[in-house]
Amino acid sequence: MGDAARPDPGPDRRQRRVGRRALILGGGAAVAGVGALAARDTLERWWWRMPGIEEPRVEGEVDHEGAEWIPASRANYRRASRPRDYSIDRVVIHMPEATYDITLQVFQDPGHGAATHYVVRSEDGHVAQLARELDVAYHAGHREFNERSIGIEHEGWADDPAYLTDAMYASSARLVAGICRRYGIPVDREHIVGHNEVPEVIRVCPGPHWDWDRYMELVRQA
């Protein structure tokens, strides 16, 4: 039946019909508006996970005062924007089974596939930084731990306590204390762990001679 044959509903019914239609359209617009706001909020909270977006950085800048910048191969870590994209709540203590110089050389080899953020020298506690704390270094052998932690190598061998000098302990403790302050990491053995304590990883480092009681007290003092 054509529109011309339909009876005029009258002004009251026409007004109600238009009002109902406006309400439906308006409700749809409101829903769309809420969706747009939610989408914008999500983007604002997740923008740093989008490819190509990262925290500004200065080449050669270090996170620990006094550290020497000796960069690892880019193949051995992943650029990131921590702690915005991944929270940092762990420090992992390593022993490389090698000298300081050899450890640096290995981490600069793109074929090695691993590096820590820092290496501490036994003789004098000198600290080299190989990757920014912003970035995810491949040090733990466990993806989640890599993303949430900072790794520190200490020159020496797990079965040789001679490398565990007072200078290395003290320097490493200052380094870890600074990391814990920066990211609000509790100074305890749940959050400062040995590589051998990383889940699903079979390692001995830092080894049986690492004095955890002494080390944790030094970190607390620092």
Side-chain angles (χ1 to χ4, degrees):
M1 183 180 295
D3 288 345
R6 292 176 183 165
D8 190 327
D12 291 340
R13 291 188 63 188
R14 283 201 302 270
Q15 186 175 358
R16 287 198 297 271
R17 184 182 298 171
V18 171
R20 184 169 178 270
R21 185 181 179 204
L23 179 63
I24 293 171
L25 292 176
V31 170
V34 170
L37 287 173
R40 187 178 68 184
D41 181 62
T42 299
L43 285 173
E44 287 175 353
R45 287 186 291 109
W46 292 80
W47 70 268
W48 56 85
R49 296 199 178 193
M50 297 173 66
I53 296 177
E54 60 183 29
E55 290 289 330
R57 63 189 72 206
V58 177
E59 188 64 33
E61 187 176 34
V62 296
D63 298 295
H64 177 66
E65 185 177 357
E68 179 183 7
W69 178 248
I70 305 177
S73 168
R74 283 289 300 273
N76 297 334
Y77 68 93
R78 184 170 86 242
R79 297 273 283 218
S81 296
R82 302 190 309 169
R84 299 194 68 167
D85 48 4
Y86 303 104
S87 298
I88 299 174
D89 65 0
R90 295 290 189 278
V91 177
V92 180
I93 302 301
H94 297 264
M95 185 75 69
E97 305 291 311
T99 64
Y100 174 84
D101 292 335
I102 293 299
T103 302
L104 296 179
Q105 291 176 25
V106 168
F107 290 161
Q108 291 173 322
D109 176 5
H112 182 61
T116 50
H117 293 90
Y118 296 98
V119 179
V120 183
R121 191 160 61 199
S122 171
E123 179 183 6
D124 56 4
H126 180 70
V127 177
Q129 183 166 359
L130 287 80
R132 291 293 307 276
E133 293 174 5
L134 288 165
D135 298 327
V136 176
Y138 304 147
H139 66 93
H142 186 284
R143 179 170 180 170
E144 182 184 352
F145 257 76
N146 285 341
E147 291 171 348
R148 74 190 302 179
S149 69
I150 292 172
I152 306 172
E153 288 280 8
H154 299 79
E155 178 184 17
W157 281 260
D159 62 356
D160 187 353
Y163 280 87
L164 300 177
T165 63
D166 292 344
M168 186 165 73
Y169 270 128
S171 176
S172 178
R174 288 192 296 271
L175 170 60
V176 171
I179 293 168
C180 290
R181 280 195 299 271
R182 279 192 286 282
Y183 305 107
I185 302 173
V187 179
D188 58 37
R189 287 286 285 112
E190 180 182 350
H191 297 86
I192 302 172
V193 302
H195 193 188
N196 62 310
E197 297 170 299
V198 174
E200 304 169 16
V201 173
I202 301 175
R203 298 286 290 182
V204 296
C205 72
H209 301 292
W210 185 267
D211 190 337
W212 279 108
D213 290 339
R214 175 189 180 189
Y215 184 66
M216 295 301 295
E217 183 57 32
L218 287 170
V219 176
R220 294 187 189 98
Q221 292 175 6

